[in-house]
Amino acid sequence: MTDDSAPAAPRTLAQRVDAWERLVRLDKPIGTLLLLWPTLTALWIAARGTPSLSVVLIFSLGTLLMRSAGCAFNDWADLGYDAHVKRTSRRPLVTGEVTPREALAVGAGLALCAFALVLFTNRATIVLAVAALAISIAYPFFKRFFALPQAFLGIAFSFGIPMAFAAAQGQVPPFAFALTAINLFWVIAYDTEYAMVDRDDDLKIGIRTSAITFGRFDVAAVALCYAVYVVGM
């Protein structure tokens, strides 16, 4: 959806690249850092403090690529909703700077690049990477019906933990699943705070979020999730 104030579709290559950059949030790297922190922490623990440089590079670059691919696909899936939310109403897909087909192509290309990196690890990591991709694709649709989509996002944003153990040890021990579960509460906490900003708009368009589900207990729920995370760690 566009309006009279929306910028025209990019005409030059530089303008198009700039629109793609904003589509995949390269101008907002915090999302990549939120994925990298638990992933690299798990990698260092799994490798007993001495992960190989090649694996560190694979996971660092792969995280950036997959987060970017996820943003492109999320915007494609949410195109009918983003125009009605103040915070997302100026995203490139909404303004027409990027077409839906372009968004899917960019997302697919980045995901393929990320998967190509995983091929340099081992079979266990590759299998988990396929599962991680499926979870990333499913997440945008959970907001249509699931009362706590932030919990599902927590699974997606914590999946680097078992992958890190698989890459370093060739298996995923119970300890890795414990770290994954603990990290889930951290993601729910910060993404619920994020969802609070959009609550009024989300209520109007029928999107489900933890901020809506928790209602007047939202601050208490966020505090509890942070407490579980800190104690668990």
Side-chain angles (χ1 to χ4, degrees):
M1 295 181 64
T2 59
D3 55 41
D4 293 338
S5 62
R11 297 177 181 275
T12 68
L13 178 60
Q15 289 175 322
R16 192 168 296 277
V17 170
D18 176 69
W20 289 344
E21 177 189 19
R22 287 180 283 115
L23 171 72
V24 301
R25 314 287 198 278
L26 290 183
D27 58 328
K28 297 178 180 178
I30 184 62
T32 300
L33 298 178
L34 290 172
L35 276 164
L36 269 178
W37 186 7
T39 300
L40 294 184
T41 297
L43 185 59
W44 251 258
I45 293 174
R48 299 184 182 277
T50 56
S52 68
L53 178 60
S54 60
V55 174
V56 172
L57 291 175
I58 287 172
F59 272 83
S60 298
L61 183 56
T63 297
L64 172 63
L65 290 170
M66 275 308 300
R67 187 259 176 164
S68 299
C71 288
F73 185 76
N74 182 81
D75 285 8
W76 174 83
D78 285 349
L79 181 57
Y81 297 94
D82 283 348
H84 305 287
V85 178
K86 183 177 180 181
R87 180 179 57 83
T88 61
S89 62
R90 305 302 297 171
R91 285 180 174 174
L93 257 176
V94 179
T95 61
E97 296 173 85
V98 174
T99 67
R101 182 177 296 180
E102 280 181 302
L104 282 178
V106 169
L110 292 173
L112 284 173
C113 290
F115 187 73
L117 288 174
V118 177
L119 295 178
F120 290 96
T121 56
N122 55 36
R123 183 175 180 178
T125 310
I126 293 172
V127 171
L128 288 173
V130 174
L133 178 61
I135 292 171
S136 298
I137 292 174
Y139 164 68
F141 302 102
F142 266 66
K143 291 178 285 187
R144 273 73 160 168
F145 64 90
F146 191 49
L148 292 174
Q150 277 67 27
F152 194 80
L153 179 70
I155 297 174
F157 268 48
S158 303
F159 221 77
I161 295 173
M163 287 181 64
F165 274 86
Q169 299 182 4
Q171 61 178 348
V172 184
F175 179 70
F177 290 111
L179 279 179
T180 303
I182 292 169
N183 195 73
L184 183 71
F185 286 92
W186 180 55
V187 178
I188 293 174
Y190 70 65
D191 206 61
T192 296
E193 292 182 275
Y194 195 49
M196 290 176 183
V197 178
D198 300 333
R199 180 158 41 198
D200 291 342
D201 290 330
D202 288 340
L203 282 168
K204 293 176 182 177
I205 61 179
I207 288 291
R208 307 296 297 273
T209 72
S210 56
I212 293 172
T213 300
F214 292 145
R216 62 190 182 93
F217 300 106
D218 53 3
V219 175
V222 167
L224 178 61
C225 286
Y226 277 132
V228 171
Y229 172 74
V230 172
V231 172
M233 291 302 288

